[in-house]
Amino acid sequence: MQLLLFLIIYPFLWLISILPFRVLYFFSDLTYVLVYKIIGYRQKTVRENLALALPHLSDKERLIIERKFFHHFCDGFFEMIKTMTISRKEMDKRFKFTNLELYQELESKQKSIAIMCAHYGSYEWLVSMNRHISFRGYGIYKKIANKYFDKLVQDIRGKFDAYLIDTKNSIRVMSDNKKAGILGVYGFASDQSPKLGKAFHWNTFMGIEVPVHTGAEMMVKKMDMNVLFVKGEKLRRGYYQATFVPMVDNPKEVPNYEITDMFFRMVEQQILEKPEYYLWTHKRWKHADKKTVN
C-alpha cells in the first residue's frame, strides 16, 4: 500500500516541481483560497496561537498576520516540492547567507558545530547551506512513516550534500562521528513542543510557560560543539536570506538550560519582527501552564 500511494502521488509532485516559479505561485494562490477560505485548515489553531503569543495586538492586526501567514504557508508547501528539481544555481539565487565568513571561522577551530533554528521563513531551504561548508552536514528529522516518501526526502537533501538523521538515531550517529574524528554540522529545529513525558525544562516562550526541547543543548554539551543560531528572513516572495548569530563558544561552562533559553529569546525576537513567517499551525502552546495564560 505504501508503494502504491507513492507511485500515485510522486508523478504529481514531480510535475509541480518542474513548473516555473511564476506558475508555481499561481497555484499557491489558488491553494490559499482552498486551504484558508474554504477548508479553513487549522484556522482555529492559528488564531488561538496568535492570540496567546501576540496579545498586545488588536484582533484586526492579528487577522492581517493570519492571512499573511496562510499565504506564506502555501508558498512554503510549493517551494518544498520545487526542491525536488531546483538547480543549485537557482537555489543560490533565492536563498543567500549574509555572513558565511562567521561560520567558516568556526570551522577553522576544528570542532563540530550545532546549528539551531526555528520553523520560520524557509527553514526547508536552509539545507542549501551544505553547498558552502567543509564539514559533513546533518539534519535531525522525524522519520516519515511511508518509507518511499522518507527515501525521497533523503534523496532531495542529498542533492545539497546533506545527510538526514532520524531523531531516534541522532545520539548514536553524533557519538560515532566524534569517536571516528568526523567533524559535522548538526541542524536542530528545536522550537516545537516536546512530549510531556520527555520534558526536562520549562521556559517562558512568547510570555507563556511551556515545556521546551533540550536535546540540542544536551548534545552540544556532551560533544563540546560550537553553537550558532540561524536567523531566517523572507525578503520577498521566493527569496530568503539567513544570518548566523553566535551563541556560545564554551558550552560545557554554561549553566544547564541557558543555551536553550537563549535560543528561545532569539526565536521570540524573530517572531516579533515579522510574525507572519512563523509556523503557527503547530500546537506549540498545547502544554502551557494555565497559570501564566491571561
Side-chain angles (χ1 to χ4, degrees):
M1 181 58 73
Q2 286 191 356
L3 178 59
L4 178 61
L5 183 64
F6 176 78
L7 292 174
I8 292 172
I9 296 177
Y10 176 79
F12 293 100
L13 296 179
W14 185 83
L15 286 172
I16 292 171
S17 76
I18 63 174
L19 294 174
F21 272 95
R22 64 182 182 278
V23 180
L24 205 72
Y25 289 130
F26 169 76
F27 283 109
S28 178
D29 289 339
L30 294 179
T31 303
Y32 164 78
V33 174
L34 175 66
V35 168
Y36 179 60
K37 294 186 175 295
I38 298 175
I39 298 176
Y41 173 74
R42 295 205 175 186
Q43 191 178 105
K44 181 181 178 183
T45 297
V46 172
R47 199 160 291 177
E48 289 175 349
N49 283 343
L50 287 171
L52 284 170
L54 304 171
H56 59 287
L57 299 181
S58 67
D59 291 344
K60 183 178 180 180
E61 288 172 321
R62 287 196 295 268
L63 183 60
I64 292 172
I65 293 170
E66 178 183 307
R67 290 169 178 166
K68 287 182 177 179
F69 161 72
F70 273 102
H71 272 294
H72 170 71
F73 179 73
C74 293
D75 281 359
F77 172 74
F78 283 93
E79 288 167 357
M80 180 177 63
I81 297 174
K82 183 67 175 177
T83 314
M84 292 174 62
T85 56
I86 193 171
S87 68
R88 292 188 173 192
K89 182 179 179 181
E90 184 73 22
M91 178 66 86
D92 287 345
K93 183 176 75 173
R94 291 178 173 272
F95 196 100
K96 295 183 179 296
F97 295 89
T98 66
N99 58 344
L100 273 171
E101 66 281 355
L102 189 150
Y103 165 81
Q104 291 162 350
E105 183 181 342
L106 282 189
E107 273 198 352
S108 69
K109 296 182 179 181
Q110 293 298 294
K111 287 172 58 175
S112 289
I113 301 169
I115 300 289
M116 299 185 72
C117 68
H119 289 83
Y120 185 95
S122 182
Y123 55 90
E124 289 284 349
W125 279 1
L126 187 58
V127 68
S128 64
M129 173 185 171
N130 292 277
R131 294 241 300 120
H132 308 284
I133 68 178
S134 300
F135 291 179
R136 186 176 294 182
Y138 297 86
I140 315 299
Y141 84 118
K142 187 174 182 180
K143 196 170 185 177
I144 300 172
N146 186 307
K147 64 181 181 181
Y148 300 100
F149 281 109
D150 188 74
K151 178 64 166 53
L152 175 62
V153 170
Q154 293 189 46
D155 289 344
I156 292 171
R157 298 299 185 271
K159 279 177 51 181
F160 297 95
D161 306 319
Y163 299 84
L164 292 185
I165 315 174
D166 180 15
T167 50
K168 295 180 181 178
N169 298 318
S170 57
I171 295 176
R172 177 185 59 78
V173 172
M174 283 186 267
S175 298
D176 289 348
N177 282 349
K178 186 172 179 64
K179 291 176 184 176
I182 297 173
L183 295 171
V185 182
Y186 302 95
F188 298 86
S190 303
D191 57 316
Q192 296 303 298
S193 182
K195 293 181 180 179
L196 275 179
K198 295 183 178 180
F200 298 100
H201 179 55
W202 288 62
N203 186 22
T204 301
F205 181 42
M206 300 301 292
I208 304 161
E209 192 175 353
V210 289
V212 294
H213 279 292
T214 56
E217 177 173 346
M218 179 192 74
M219 294 309 300
V220 162
K221 286 175 173 287
K222 183 178 180 180
M223 304 295 172
D224 190 29
M225 293 190 278
N226 285 314
V227 194
L228 290 173
F229 175 74
V230 175
K231 180 182 178 182
E233 297 177 79
K234 186 171 186 175
L235 304 176
R236 62 186 190 276
R237 198 174 202 181
Y239 291 86
Y240 303 84
Q241 72 178 20
T243 301
F244 297 105
V245 182
M247 293 182 69
V248 297
D249 295 324
N250 51 346
K252 289 188 175 181
E253 298 177 18
V254 176
N256 286 340
Y257 307 125
E258 188 170 305
I259 294 173
T260 300
D261 292 348
M262 185 187 305
F263 165 71
F264 277 96
R265 297 292 78 80
M266 291 177 170
V267 176
E268 283 181 337
Q269 182 180 358
Q270 193 174 30
I271 292 172
L272 289 171
E273 287 177 4
K274 290 187 178 179
E276 59 266 32
Y277 302 137
Y278 188 61
L279 188 61
W280 295 105
T281 50
H282 282 200
K283 295 184 178 181
R284 182 62 191 86
W285 292 272
K286 62 183 176 182
H287 299 308
D289 183 344
K290 301 301 181 182
K291 292 182 293 186
T292 66
V293 180
N294 296 324

